Amino acid sequence: MAANRNLLMLPGDGIGPEVMGEVKRVIAWMDANRAVGFDIDEDLVGGCAYDAHGVAIADATMDKAMAADAVLLGAVGGPRWESLPFESQPERGLLRLRKDMELFANLRPAMVFDALAEASSLKTELVAGLDILIIRELTGGVYFGEPRGITDLPNGERRGINTQVYDTYEIIRIGRVAFELAAKRSGRVCSVEKANVMESGLLWREEMTKLHAAEYPDLELSHMYADNCAMQLVRMPKQFDVIVTDNLFGDMLSDTAAMLTGSLGMLPSASLGAADATGRRKALYEPVHGSAPDIAGENKANPLATILSYAMMLRYSFDLGADAELVELAVRGVLDKGLRTADIMADGKELLSTTGMGQAVVDEMAALAG
Ligand code: NAD
């Protein structure tokens, strides 16, 4: 069984290796108690890869990522590498992974654990129990469309140009991801664009409507303009289940939704590619946060975003929903017991280190599996 599950770990820089260490603790427990076996390889990405190989990700590492069933990444970057030329920056490693693996679907869950609801900038009753999933198209749209650039005009002024462009296949493939994931949740998809003022948005709406009618008539599809969606996310976020949107709107709406949850150290993410003939998708899982150089090496980082990214991997890459749920329930249980890392600390709670939090999750898993 283990040989079928090929996992590449890329801890990266800063707190990356620390938070990844706690995922290894969870995996070790699962290996011993749940027979969830992985063939695990580990390699360098980001600044550490630059130090070792002179590039943010070596070709050999890329080859491993392309062959893996799933890649789990910590974080990249830090002040040590900030003065490097653009093409050598640690973030280039991450961008190359996303590009070469053709990861077109970015999944950002925004979940509020009841125990942390007070950390949100919104009223507790608006966010307690929130569980929404934002699916952002990641490889198309205005960030990549041609023509682009800055040109000099005859009148001495300059013009900046970017092009918002979507072809039908790009809309259909992200739509399918949204409907398929919604089918495993409450079955509701809200498709978000600006069909009122943009032709690309109109096409997006028409293609989503056709796809829904042709392939997913049992699920619920609604449409919303992106500006309204931004308002609704802070007015009544629990009205949503799955939101699917383009690259630009998804960039903003997923960060808005992230803030509803109150803490960067709690946010997981996944990026998926197209399914091959066997249904397998290339996939990269990573916490939303960066390498947090201000606390790196101090055993203070919150490992829960990375542990929750691992849970997403169990669910989406390996169809191990029950195991994913065990990890998520353990995280919830730990928070309910008042255990906290420094970033989510509150009065009357117990402060844990990175390793302390990882161990608390494993202890809770053991108690739940009982
Ligand atoms: P950051 O996410 O690293 O940190 C922002 C703040 O949140 C810091 O105060 C940090 O201590 C805190 N924080 C982040 N994650 C935490 C965790 N798990 N537990 C506790 N506290 C946490 O963002 P930044 O400071 O803007 O960037 C730092 C470096 O990370 C830069 O080099 C940046 O380019 C890089 N970065 C990488 C990624 C990535 O790898 N995906 C994402 C964002 C930033």
Side-chain angles (χ1 to χ4, degrees), residues 15 75-78 91 94 264-265 286 289-295 301-302 343:
I15 62 169
V76 297
E91 284 74 10
L94 193 49
L264 207 47
E286 55 181 323
H289 63 72
S291 58
D294 51 336
I295 56 166
N302 184 348
D343 57 314

Side-chain angles (χ1 to χ4, degrees), residues 5-6 11 20 36 51 54 60 67 74 82 84 118 143 160 162 182 212 226 244 246 255 291 301 319 322 362:
R5 299 200 181 118
N6 199 309
M20 194 68 86
V36 177
D51 291 344
E82 258 162 26
L84 289 177
E118 283 175 12
Y143 293 161
N162 291 91
H212 173 239
V244 60
D246 74 13
D255 273 7
S291 58
D319 223 5
V362 164

Side-chain angles (χ1 to χ4, degrees), residues 222-303:
S222 60
H223 303 276
M224 195 178 275
Y225 297 138
D227 47 343
N228 186 24
C229 183
M231 284 197 285
Q232 296 300 329
L233 270 175
V234 291
R235 191 181 79 89
M236 218 171 57
K238 283 190 251 180
Q239 70 185 280
F240 296 107
D241 181 26
V242 172
I243 292 174
V244 60
T245 190
D246 74 13
N247 203 344
L248 173 65
F249 296 139
D251 196 358
M252 292 167 195
L253 295 173
S254 61
D255 273 7
T256 306
M259 278 302 99
L260 303 177
T261 70
S263 173
L264 207 47
M266 296 296 304
L267 293 166
S269 80
S271 300
L272 307 178
D276 66 16
T278 67
R280 171 182 171 275
R281 293 178 186 276
K282 288 200 173 54
L284 172 72
Y285 299 86
E286 55 181 323
V288 168
H289 63 72
S291 58
D294 51 336
I295 56 166
E298 296 182 16
N299 199 16
K300 279 187 187 163
N302 184 348

